[in-house]
Amino acid sequence: MTDSRTAEAFSHRDAPRIFCIGRNYAKHIEELNSTLPGAECVIFMKPASSLVAPGELIRLPDHVGDIHHEAELVVEIGQGGRAIQPEAAREHIRGIGLGLDLTLRDVQTELKSSGEPWERAKAFDHSAPLGPLVALRSDMDLADLHFELSVDGAVRQSGHTAHMLVGVTDLIAVVSRSWQLQPGDLIFTGTPEGVGPIAAGQHLRLAGPGLESAEWTLA
Ligand code: ZN
């Protein structure tokens, strides 16, 4: 009996909010020639229509330039709350898993240079494939989780949560200062270095010790 649920469990009726953290790993900031976030961290959101369950075809927009993978640890909120203290944040986590923050990199670069919001580059349909979520076990150290993304069998990204600039419990504290967190809310915690383009027909696999793996094919 596995205690995991997939993105299918999130119907539009549930409409979870999907918070995403940007620029949370130093080497990823370097590879994009970005700057450190001015505030505590960069926060943006995706709609529920971004979610893709494991095994479902990912349908991407056409004629939009490079589409990049960003492999990320994802936490699901169980018990809601506002202004949650970092020391108490762990108790608010219901599930943990892996997901992709798919990004239209060329569009994002244009939006960044013109100072416009990122939604067209980050919040399009199917921009958030989400693997199964497992219950957070007491022996899991949130600052010592490893995860990996392979594309067509070759490892593209290897993440270790120890390298996050703002750790998981601090992220929950920061997000909950602006939004009252609700059960089912998801937080994509940022991507490590190694982002790069993906194309139709390719096969993506996310995996990590203690976490559920997930696979997708790009339509
Ligand atoms: Zn990201």
Side-chain angles (χ1 to χ4, degrees):
M1 181 76 193
T2 165
D3 185 18
S4 67
R5 287 156 296 125
T6 70
E8 285 166 316
F10 298 108
S11 68
H12 288 272
R13 191 166 52 86
D14 296 332
R17 292 175 300 178
I18 305 168
F19 299 97
C20 299
I21 307 302
R23 300 182 198 174
N24 202 23
Y25 289 83
K27 285 185 183 164
H28 171 62
I29 294 173
E30 273 174 34
E31 74 181 347
L32 291 187
N33 290 316
S34 298
T35 51
L36 281 166
E40 296 155 301
C41 49
V42 175
I43 302 174
F44 56 94
M45 294 171 83
K46 293 180 187 251
S49 58
S50 304
L51 294 172
V52 189
E56 279 187 5
L57 266 186
I58 300 176
R59 297 187 186 282
L60 298 170
D62 292 323
H63 310 299
V64 287
D66 275 355
I67 302 174
H68 275 195
H69 54 77
E70 293 192 0
E72 311 200 355
L73 182 84
V74 180
V75 298
E76 181 201 12
I77 298 297
Q79 183 197 339
R82 64 190 297 272
I84 295 165
Q85 294 302 308
E87 313 79 63
R90 190 181 168 105
E91 293 157 33
H92 292 260
I93 298 174
R94 177 159 69 195
I96 191 153
L98 298 169
L100 291 163
D101 165 20
L102 298 181
T103 302
L104 309 184
R105 192 67 73 200
D106 292 336
V107 173
Q108 187 194 27
T109 302
E110 269 184 51
L111 295 172
K112 278 180 179 172
S113 65
S114 59
E116 292 174 49
W118 290 2
E119 275 86 348
R120 285 174 48 226
K122 287 281 200 182
F124 55 93
D125 286 352
H126 284 195
S127 61
L130 176 64
L133 301 164
V134 297
L136 182 64
R137 297 189 314 270
S138 58
D139 65 337
M140 282 176 132
D141 180 352
L142 289 166
D144 188 22
L145 294 173
H146 291 266
F147 57 96
E148 206 168 75
L149 168 71
S150 304
V151 179
D152 291 339
V155 176
R156 292 271 194 95
Q157 289 188 273
S158 290
H160 184 201
T161 54
H163 297 142
M164 286 182 172
L165 297 175
V166 182
V168 172
T169 51
D170 285 315
L171 287 176
I172 290 171
V174 171
V175 174
S176 72
R177 283 209 289 274
S178 298
W179 292 272
Q180 173 153 359
L181 290 177
Q182 299 165 13
D185 280 345
L186 299 168
I187 304 177
F188 282 61
T189 58
T191 197
E193 73 275 17
V195 302
I198 46 176
Q202 287 189 313
H203 181 258
L204 278 54
R205 183 171 194 273
L206 284 170
L211 301 168
E212 290 255 352
S213 60
E215 302 184 36
W216 294 271
T217 300
L218 297 166

